[in-house]
Amino acid sequence: PSSPFMPRMVAVFLIHLFDRGQAVHARRTWYRSGMKRFHLIVALVFAALLTTACRDEAESRQAEFYVFGTLTGVTLWDVHEAESQRAFARLQETFQGMHRDWHAWQPGELTRVNEALAGGEEVATSEDIVELVRRSQELERLTGGRFNPAIGALIGLWGFHTSDYPIIGPPPERPEIEALLAGRPSTLDIRIDGLRLVSSNAAVQLDFGAVAKGYAIDIACAQLRELGIDNAIVNAGGDLRVIGSHGDRPWRIAVRAPGGGIVGSLETGRDEAIFTSGNYERFRQEETRRYPHILDPRTGWPVEDLASVTVIADEGLLADAAATALIVAGRSGWREVAQSLGLDQVLLIDGSGKVYLTGRMAGRIELLDGIESEIVEFATE
Ligand code: AMP
Ligand code: MG
C-alpha cells in the first residue's frame, strides 16, 4: 500500500470522470475550455486533500499484547486500517500459541516434551520447539555453556518457575544444587530427527526463558513481513526488534537501565534487535541478600557481577540469548563470548551504575547526562 500511489490513481480517476461527459465532442479541446480547467483544478485539489488523508491513514498503528508476561507494543508504519487489524489478529493468535506451547512450567507442549526427555523417550513436537532446540545447541556451544536452556530443573529448584517476584526465602541447599549439577544437563544431549527429539541425558529439562521472547519477536516480525508489512517495531518493555523504518526517519528507542529507568537512547537501524538482560527485576530475596534469576550453569548459582547487559544483533533470538550469556560471562569473560557470537554492539552496566560500551555501541547511543561511562577496547575479527 504505497500511499503516494493511491492518490495519484484517485486523481487520474477523477480527471477521467470529469472528462467523460463531454468526451465525444470536446476531447481534443478540453484543455481550452474554462469549465474543464475548473474541473481539473477541483480534481487536483481533491487529490491533494486525499493525499493528506491517505498519509494520515498511513501513519502509525499500534496494538498491545501480553508476551510471556510483558506488555508488548507493536507499531506498524505506513499500513492501512484493515491490514493492521488483520496483522494484529494474527499476532494475537501467534503470541497466545507461544505462551501456551513454550511455557516452562505450566502444563503444555514444552512440559510434555520435558517429560519425554526425562524418560528417555522420543517425542514429536512443533517446528518452533525444534528450532529453539537447534539454535540453543549452537548458542550453548558458542557461549561455552554460559547460555544453557537445558538447566530447567536447576531454575525450578531456585524457585524461578514463577511469575511472582520477588521470591522470599533462603537459597536451595547446596547438596540439592550439586546433585542437579552432577547430571550435567546440556542441549547437546538432545538428538534432533526431523520433528522428533530424544535425550541421552535424563537430567535435560528445557526452559527457554532466556530466548523465548527474542524468538517470539522474530516470528512476529516474520509474520508481519509475510503480510506485506515492511515497517514495524515490536517492543516488549524495551526488548525489541525493528523491521524497516519509521517513514523517512529511523525509530528512536530507549535503552533500559537497572532499576527500571533508562541509560540513554539510540536510533535503530533497519532490521535489528536490541535486548537487555538484568539481574534487578526477578530475584530471590533473603533478608538483605538477593539472588537474581540468571544462573551460571557451571556453578548452579546466580550471577551478580553485572547489573545489566544490552546487546544489538540482527535477530531477537541471538540478542536475547547473548544478553543472558554475557551476564553469566561477567566483566572478565564477556569479550570472549561476544567475540565468539560475532557481536560488537554491547553495553554493560556494573553494580555501581557505571556503563561500559564497545566502540560501535558508543557511536550509536546517546547516554543521559551524568552517566559515568567507559569505552572498552574491543574488536571482532
Ligand atoms: P533473560 O531475562 O533473557 O536473561 O532470561 C532469564 C531466564 O532464562 C531465567 O528466568 C531462566 O528461566 C533462564 N535462565 C537463567 N539462567 C540461564 C542460563 N545461564 N542459560 C539459559 N537460560 C537461563
Ligand atoms: Mg535473554
Side-chain angles (χ1 to χ4, degrees):
S2 134
S3 53
F5 185 64
M6 253 284 284
R8 220 176 298 139
M9 295 244 306
V10 171
V12 168
F13 173 69
L14 283 176
I15 291 168
H16 189 67
L17 200 71
F18 280 114
D19 192 33
R20 249 175 85 185
Q22 290 112 2
V24 181
H25 52 271
R27 187 171 287 284
R28 280 190 201 144
T29 54
W30 73 270
Y31 54 90
R32 279 191 222 137
S33 137
M35 210 44 210
K36 274 290 172 188
R37 222 172 296 153
F38 174 68
H39 284 156
L40 179 61
I41 290 165
V42 169
L44 289 175
V45 168
F46 224 88
L49 287 175
L50 263 166
T51 312
T52 354
C54 289
R55 272 235 149 275
D56 283 348
E57 212 184 293
E59 279 176 10
S60 69
R61 306 205 176 272
Q62 284 155 3
E64 283 181 328
F65 306 88
Y66 267 100
V67 181
F68 310 123
T70 307
L71 194 59
T72 300
V74 177
T75 305
L76 312 179
W77 181 262
D78 201 10
V79 172
H80 291 275
E81 177 65 24
E83 245 182 303
S84 68
Q85 290 309 324
R86 204 175 324 135
F88 291 147
R90 173 94 183 268
L91 293 187
Q92 176 64 31
E93 217 172 279
T94 302
F95 288 138
Q96 259 173 7
M98 292 163 172
H99 185 86
R100 193 184 56 228
D101 294 346
W102 304 356
H103 212 286
W105 67 91
Q106 277 171 18
E109 182 61 12
L110 190 62
T111 57
R112 186 182 74 87
V113 167
N114 275 335
E115 271 169 38
L117 296 178
E121 293 158 28
E122 195 176 72
V123 61
T125 186
S126 65
E127 265 172 51
D128 293 347
I129 290 180
V130 172
E131 187 60 12
L132 277 166
V133 173
R134 196 192 315 280
R135 294 297 309 277
S136 294
Q137 291 180 328
E138 171 201 343
L139 292 163
E140 185 185 332
R141 204 181 290 125
L142 290 171
T143 61
R146 290 167 183 88
F147 166 77
N148 178 357
I151 60 167
L154 203 52
I155 294 167
L157 176 66
W158 275 92
F160 297 142
H161 279 166
T162 178
S163 309
D164 276 338
Y165 282 95
I167 305 158
I168 307 293
E173 301 290 334
R174 274 172 195 278
E176 288 178 290
I177 296 174
E178 293 307 318
L180 289 183
L181 270 190
R184 298 185 146 273
S186 163
T187 59
L188 299 164
D189 297 323
I190 300 174
R191 201 184 68 231
I192 303 173
D193 177 10
L195 292 181
R196 288 192 300 273
L197 307 174
V198 66
S199 174
S200 57
N201 181 351
V204 169
Q205 289 289 281
L206 296 168
D207 174 326
F208 293 118
V211 274
K213 210 199 283 172
Y215 190 43
I217 290 179
D218 287 342
I219 290 177
C221 287
Q223 290 187 340
L224 290 176
R225 276 261 156 85
E226 266 173 44
L227 293 169
I229 293 165
D230 294 321
N231 303 300
I233 182 163
V234 182
N235 186 344
D239 290 332
L240 58 95
R241 178 162 173 180
V242 177
I243 53 173
S245 61
H246 182 257
D248 41 18
R249 295 167 285 140
W251 310 86
R252 180 162 273 284
I253 57 107
V255 176
R256 287 161 60 194
I262 69 165
V263 275
S265 66
L266 56 82
E267 284 187 351
T268 62
R270 301 179 71 89
D271 302 293
E272 63 182 6
I274 303 174
F275 273 73
T276 300
S277 263
N279 66 14
Y280 45 89
E281 270 172 355
R282 292 181 277 159
F283 48 81
R284 165 180 287 281
Q285 179 107 34
E286 184 195 25
E287 286 158 20
T288 58
R289 181 102 173 74
R290 280 185 179 186
Y291 300 94
H293 71 131
I294 298 174
L295 304 176
D296 186 333
R298 299 158 307 172
T299 65
W301 284 78
V303 278
E304 294 166 279
D305 199 12
L306 293 166
S308 84
V309 172
T310 300
V311 172
I312 303 181
D314 56 14
E315 49 160 11
L317 184 141
L318 174 59
D320 195 354
T324 308
L326 295 185
I327 287 263
V328 176
R331 287 191 55 177
S332 61
W334 72 268
R335 278 186 193 75
E336 194 192 321
V337 176
Q339 227 145 30
S340 139
L341 295 170
L343 299 171
D344 64 354
Q345 300 187 73
V346 179
L347 178 150
L348 307 94
I349 306 179
D350 72 10
S352 72
K354 183 172 172 184
V355 171
Y356 299 84
L357 326 102
T358 58
R360 234 188 121 196
M361 183 66 109
R364 297 194 51 182
I365 190 167
E366 213 174 287
L367 291 173
L368 296 185
D369 286 343
I371 288 184
E372 194 193 349
S373 69
E374 183 181 325
I375 298 176
V376 288
E377 228 171 277
F378 183 83
T380 42
E381 55 267 4

